[in-house]
Amino acid sequence: MRINHNIASLNTYRQLSGNPSATSKSHEKLSSGLRINRAGDDAAGLAISEKMRGQIRGLDQASSNAQDGISLIQTAEGALAETHSILQRMRELAVQSSTDTNTAEDREKIQAEVDQLAKEITRISNTTEFNTKNLLAGGLTNNVFHIGANAGQNVSISIEGMDAKSLGVSRDINQVNSFTATSSTLTSAAIANEDLGSGLVAATYTVEVTHNAAAVASTGKTVTGAVAVTGQNYTGARSETGVIFRVTAIGVPATGDVTAAEVSTDGGLSWSGATVDASAAGTSTITYGGSTFTIADNGANAVGNTVTMNFNARYDSIQLSQGGTDIGAAATVYSDQDYVTIGDAATDRTITIRSTSLGDLVTDAAGTTVTVATQASTAAVIGTDGSVTAAADTKAGINVKTQSAADKAITTINNALETVSSERSKLGAMQNRLEHTIANLGTSSENLTASESRVRDVDMAKEMMAYTKNNILTQAATAMLAQANQQPQGVLQLLQ
């Protein structure tokens, strides 16, 4: 028997020391519900669990991202629904204007509504935003929706510019600002109205007006009367259309000098005197209303002869140019016109200048120029980061002021409708895709959560069994330690 080392007590103590530690761990697991509370509980299991937790939280956030993406798409698609409605109304107006039962005044009213509708399309494009991000100005290019827990798990979407300029249903306004000739009666006030050339770009144009004082058409003359007249030659600086001159007196029949004449502008119903100059032998000059005619013939004129002047006299030619380059052919201005269109009609790069009497705009100035400035409709300007640095601007809607223009506008608006339909279809398809993505993310998160729970969560029933066992073992070991401590006292019996 030994008393210096109580081996039984040491063994019981060792067992007793381990039981409270196990009981303490059971306490911790039962109170937290986790099997792994520290790396020491299960180092490999902790690493796996943390990796799973990162995936689970990533999946949950990806689901939230996808829901935000759907909200963005719904905002854009809702705005485009209104753009669609506006374009349908513009198409309706274009069809209405393309029939010639409308007057010019009717088409002006139709054009006014089209202008406002085009401006509203651009306003919608400029102001449709989600979280301050503009959606329809054209800056939403490769916009990324991150819909996965890991890097690179994303989809992207782009939305084209949906303003009136980008859709092709706007036009520029061309304004005649000033006339640059130093000697001319041309003034800004003389321009009563100007048509809006849809194809002119933002620039400064000049209208070159060339006066043709001696260029008068000499066809369409007819002579009636008792005496046949042949070999006549009529020239003049300017002419009037449909004016009838009647020779009323002959000075020297042999030379054909006319000493008196009458003029009628109503087809011969009424007559008035005309100024005659017969100072040159064989030549008579008749002046009326600013037009001068010289009659030279073979001397066969007689009193009472009627000379009908059916001239379509040319006044001037007008040319539209930009930077020294002519646009289209020069247009000839005739005496019976009150407006003239210049430019390239094939590309719609035209401007129509109107006045109460176009022929009165130019008198003696040669090479007169008129400055034409354009107020251009623009699409939005997008920065390198996709932000809108300059909003889109619409000066006027597509041209429907004439039958031909309105007819062409129908096709253009159809194309715009197709463009908007395509964008809405693309957005709808992406929304459906994201809805499936959200469902899949929810399933993945649920399954991964279950897996992570099996790794990290404690089995409460099993742990309570362990706790009960450890608790009983602790009590038993305590009792055995007391018994083991009594064993050395048996040595005292040997001393009796």
Side-chain angles (χ1 to χ4, degrees):
M1 299 181 66
R2 298 173 178 86
I3 61 173
N4 286 333
H5 295 88
N6 190 341
I7 301 304
S9 294
L10 290 174
N11 180 268
T12 302
Y13 176 75
R14 180 176 61 80
Q15 296 292 339
L16 178 61
S17 297
N19 289 336
S21 176
T23 302
S24 176
K25 289 182 179 181
S26 293
H27 274 140
E28 188 175 17
K29 292 176 182 179
L30 290 173
S31 61
S32 67
L34 296 174
R35 185 180 70 86
I36 305 174
N37 290 285
R38 60 180 62 84
D41 292 336
D42 185 348
L46 178 68
I48 295 171
S49 173
E50 289 298 333
K51 187 185 298 182
M52 288 183 174
R53 283 189 173 185
Q55 292 291 298
I56 292 167
R57 295 181 67 171
L59 290 170
D60 292 342
Q61 184 58 52
S63 178
S64 178
N65 291 349
Q67 290 170 349
D68 290 341
I70 288 177
S71 297
L72 182 148
I73 288 172
Q74 288 176 332
T75 302
E77 201 271 330
L80 288 180
E82 195 58 37
T83 299
H84 239 154
S85 178
I86 293 173
L87 287 172
Q88 291 288 9
R89 175 56 179 165
M90 291 178 71
R91 188 184 189 282
E92 181 182 11
L93 291 170
V95 172
Q96 179 183 356
S97 184
S98 63
T99 180
D100 278 336
T101 55
N102 295 289
T103 64
E105 290 76 13
D106 296 333
R107 288 190 170 113
E108 288 288 345
K109 301 300 186 296
I110 293 173
Q111 183 66 62
E113 182 175 352
V114 169
D115 291 346
Q116 293 302 317
L117 292 174
K119 291 180 180 180
E120 179 60 16
I121 289 175
T122 297
R123 190 198 66 80
I124 291 174
S125 172
N126 288 336
T127 59
T128 300
E129 297 180 344
F130 181 84
N131 192 29
T132 71
K133 181 193 293 285
N134 187 285
L135 304 181
L136 304 180
L140 204 72
T141 302
N142 293 326
N143 196 67
V144 175
F145 298 149
H146 198 97
I147 56 173
N150 302 319
Q153 296 178 348
N154 50 54
V155 295
S156 62
I157 189 171
S158 299
I159 304 178
E160 301 298 328
M162 292 288 110
D163 56 273
K165 175 73 173 181
S166 299
L167 292 173
V169 294
S170 71
R171 61 190 172 126
D172 302 338
I173 294 179
N174 308 308
Q175 179 67 51
V176 178
N177 289 336
S178 63
F179 299 92
T180 59
T182 56
S183 58
S184 174
T185 58
L186 287 170
T187 62
S188 295
I191 302 297
N193 181 35
E194 72 284 337
D195 280 351
L196 312 176
S198 60
L200 295 183
V201 297
T204 298
Y205 297 83
T206 57
V207 181
E208 300 173 359
V209 184
T210 303
H211 190 57
N212 297 282
V216 178
S218 58
T219 60
K221 301 183 300 297
T222 61
V223 179
T224 61
V227 180
V229 179
T230 59
Q232 296 172 337
N233 180 33
Y234 301 97
T235 62
R238 297 174 66 181
S239 178
E240 307 294 335
T241 301
V243 175
I244 302 174
F245 290 96
R246 182 172 63 186
V247 177
T248 58
I250 291 292
V252 183
T255 61
D257 287 340
V258 176
T259 58
E262 293 178 316
V263 63
S264 174
T265 59
D266 56 10
L269 297 178
S270 61
W271 296 86
S272 60
T275 303
V276 178
D277 180 4
S279 59
T283 302
S284 301
T285 300
I286 304 175
T287 303
Y288 169 75
S291 298
T292 302
F293 304 94
T294 300
I295 301 177
D297 56 39
N298 59 2
N301 281 319
V303 175
N305 277 359
T306 301
V307 181
T308 303
M309 311 294 288
N310 289 324
F311 288 91
N312 196 20
R314 185 170 64 196
Y315 286 157
D316 310 283
S317 62
I318 296 183
Q319 174 72 61
L320 179 66
S321 62
Q322 175 188 354
T325 301
D326 292 343
I327 300 176
T332 301
V333 184
Y334 293 98
S335 59
D336 57 349
Q337 291 177 292
D338 60 359
Y339 70 92
V340 64
T341 300
I342 51 178
D344 186 359
T347 59
D348 285 337
R349 299 180 68 191
T350 61
I351 181 171
T352 300
I353 301 177
R354 301 177 183 269
S355 73
T356 54
S357 177
L358 188 63
D360 294 335
L361 293 180
V362 181
T363 54
D364 299 323
T368 304
T369 60
V370 183
T371 301
V372 180
T374 59
Q375 299 179 33
S377 297
T378 61
V381 178
I382 308 300
T384 56
D385 60 349
S387 63
V388 179
T389 58
D393 187 22
T394 295
K395 298 302 182 183
I398 190 170
N399 187 12
V400 293
K401 294 174 69 173
T402 64
Q403 192 282 327
S404 59
D407 190 66
K408 291 171 59 177
I410 296 173
T411 300
T412 302
I413 297 173
N414 279 341
N415 293 336
L417 285 166
E418 288 295 329
T419 299
V420 176
S421 295
S422 177
E423 288 298 317
R424 292 186 66 186
S425 296
K426 181 174 67 178
L427 292 173
M430 180 58 73
Q431 179 176 340
N432 291 338
R433 177 180 179 179
L434 291 178
E435 288 173 352
H436 289 295
T437 297
I438 291 171
N440 179 62
L441 290 171
T443 301
S444 298
S445 178
E446 178 185 347
N447 293 332
L448 198 56
T449 300
S451 298
E452 196 266 342
S453 175
R454 285 189 290 271
V455 172
R456 194 151 189 170
D457 289 349
V458 69
D459 186 334
M460 296 293 289
K462 183 177 180 181
E463 192 61 36
M464 289 184 71
M465 289 171 56
Y467 171 76
T468 303
K469 180 194 72 172
N470 291 330
N471 195 28
I472 293 173
L473 288 174
T474 299
Q475 295 179 48
T478 301
M480 292 304 101
L481 180 60
Q483 292 297 321
N485 287 336
Q486 294 297 322
Q487 284 184 358
Q489 293 183 2
V491 175
L492 295 176
Q493 298 296 326
L494 297 177
L495 298 175
Q496 294 180 355

